[in-house]
Amino acid sequence: MKFLITGGAGFIGSAVIRHLINDSGHEVINIDKLTYSGNLDSLKDVEKSELYSFREVDICDSDQVRRVIDYCRPDAVMNLAAESCVDRSIVDPSKFIQTNIVGTFSLLEEVRNYWVKLEGGKKDKFRFLHISTDEVFGSLCTQEEPFNEGSHYIPNSPYSASKACSDHLVRSWGKTYGLPVLITHCSNNYGPYQFPEKLIPLIIIKAMRGENFPIYGDGIQVRDWLHVNDHSKALVAVAEKGRVGESYMIGGNNEKRNIDVVRDICEILEGFEIPKPKGLKKYTDLIDFVEDRKAHDFRYGVDVNKIKNELGWQPSISFSIGLKETVSWYISNEWWWERLI
Ligand code: NAD
């Protein structure tokens, strides 16, 4: 299959592209605006492959998107281009409205104009997969059942609200125009090549440098963690085998409090034979509780039964192994992150 991936220079998009090319032999055209979080260094493994090509394109730019689509004639589009950081959305929501909502609208229109003109099997098999988040469903309390595909949308941050808007656009393009759309809602991802503003890489890098790491509130917020390589496999399974018009929850069956994730990272670092920053007795001494984020969601949890039963996907990388490998990757790959901090 030929995939058009938007946002393929980002954390999850680059993992999907590496998986599509290295493990599945699919062809990929990556379009990305290369914002602060887009990084072509994450694609060094595949950049010379004949199966891969890249164009620097903003999904809001209809003319550019149309030219790429007409040229590459994809079998499927996966939309991962987004502004993705909750804290940035609180400081300056405008980019989130532009890319996540207007950008998704522009992309949908260009994809629709391409798809209506397709014929036969190419038209029947075409898919538009929109990558959303569990955050659109708001916040759970401890006793509540995890989110599932029928959960109500109750977004609390400008980020999750913009993602919710884009989900509604995608769904309506399916209902109104018959565009063969699918939506996925994934929980928190972790793994190599994640921009160092996100919790896990932030803690690892600050610990290596002996800098205090800020933990919001009391650190007891709960997130479900999934390795990005498991997420990539789930996305390809949904694109290939998912039912048109459906949405699928994706998660790690691995709910943890933020503070426990931070302590796990400290423990892993204690176990590695690397010199500690000067004067530091133990990594947990760097924990620094700071004022809580505005409208901070308490808990996200994800029920993955639908994707497991329908598509046979389930997470395969245990958090303890995945986290250890991730810590090790950041220690060994300073070349990738040092210019980003
Ligand atoms: P990321 O910030 O690492 O990557 C986003 C990519 O999109 C970057 O390469 C950026 O340059 C590109 N981009 C931004 N604006 C663009 C535009 N206007 N046109 C073209 N490209 C543009 O984000 P990520 O963590 O890889 O997330 C990808 C998607 O997955 C997002 O939609 C996000 O909401 C969703 N998601 C992420 C997580 C997570 O834990 N990271 C969990 C669930 C869902």
Side-chain angles (χ1 to χ4, degrees), residues 7 9-13 32-35 37-38 57-60 80-84 99 131-133 159 163 186-189 194 198:
F11 168 48
I12 300 172
D32 197 295
K33 186 182 176 184
L34 298 181
T35 66
S37 71
V57 168
D58 182 340
I59 57 164
C60 301
L80 294 117
E83 290 291 338
S84 67
T99 285
I131 286 64
S132 183
T133 163
Y159 162 68
K163 292 295 293 183
C186 191
S187 59
N188 278 39
N189 283 216
Q194 186 168 30
K198 301 285 168 72

Side-chain angles (χ1 to χ4, degrees), residues 5-15 30-40 43 54-61 65 79-85 95 98-100 103-104 130-135 159 162-163 166 184-190 193-195 197-198 224-226 228 231 235 250 336:
I5 308 284
T6 74
F11 168 48
I12 300 172
S14 66
N30 172 17
I31 59 170
D32 197 295
K33 186 182 176 184
L34 298 181
T35 66
Y36 78 95
S37 71
N39 188 345
L40 293 177
L43 290 157
F54 170 71
R55 301 274 194 292
E56 189 172 335
V57 168
D58 182 340
I59 57 164
C60 301
D61 185 334
V65 171
N79 182 27
L80 294 117
E83 290 291 338
S84 67
C85 173
K95 289 192 183 103
Q98 190 59 27
T99 285
N100 298 0
T104 300
H130 178 66
I131 286 64
S132 183
T133 163
D134 58 357
E135 300 191 30
Y159 162 68
S162 68
K163 292 295 293 183
S166 65
T184 56
H185 300 280
C186 191
S187 59
N188 278 39
N189 283 216
Y190 72 98
Y193 303 103
Q194 186 168 30
F195 192 82
E197 67 189 348
K198 301 285 168 72
D224 173 76
W225 291 95
L226 177 72
V228 69
H231 188 189
L235 294 179
I250 303 172
W336 183 84

Side-chain angles (χ1 to χ4, degrees), residues 28-84:
V28 172
I29 299 92
N30 172 17
I31 59 170
D32 197 295
K33 186 182 176 184
L34 298 181
T35 66
Y36 78 95
S37 71
N39 188 345
L40 293 177
D41 285 347
S42 309
L43 290 157
K44 283 207 179 300
D45 280 4
V46 296
E47 68 185 8
K48 296 207 168 65
S49 168
E50 286 176 359
L51 298 173
Y52 174 73
S53 59
F54 170 71
R55 301 274 194 292
E56 189 172 335
V57 168
D58 182 340
I59 57 164
C60 301
D61 185 334
S62 303
D63 291 341
Q64 278 194 323
V65 171
R66 187 179 319 125
R67 272 199 291 277
V68 172
I69 291 178
D70 287 346
Y71 173 73
C72 73
R73 305 187 56 73
D75 301 307
V77 175
M78 276 195 205
N79 182 27
L80 294 117
E83 290 291 338
S84 67

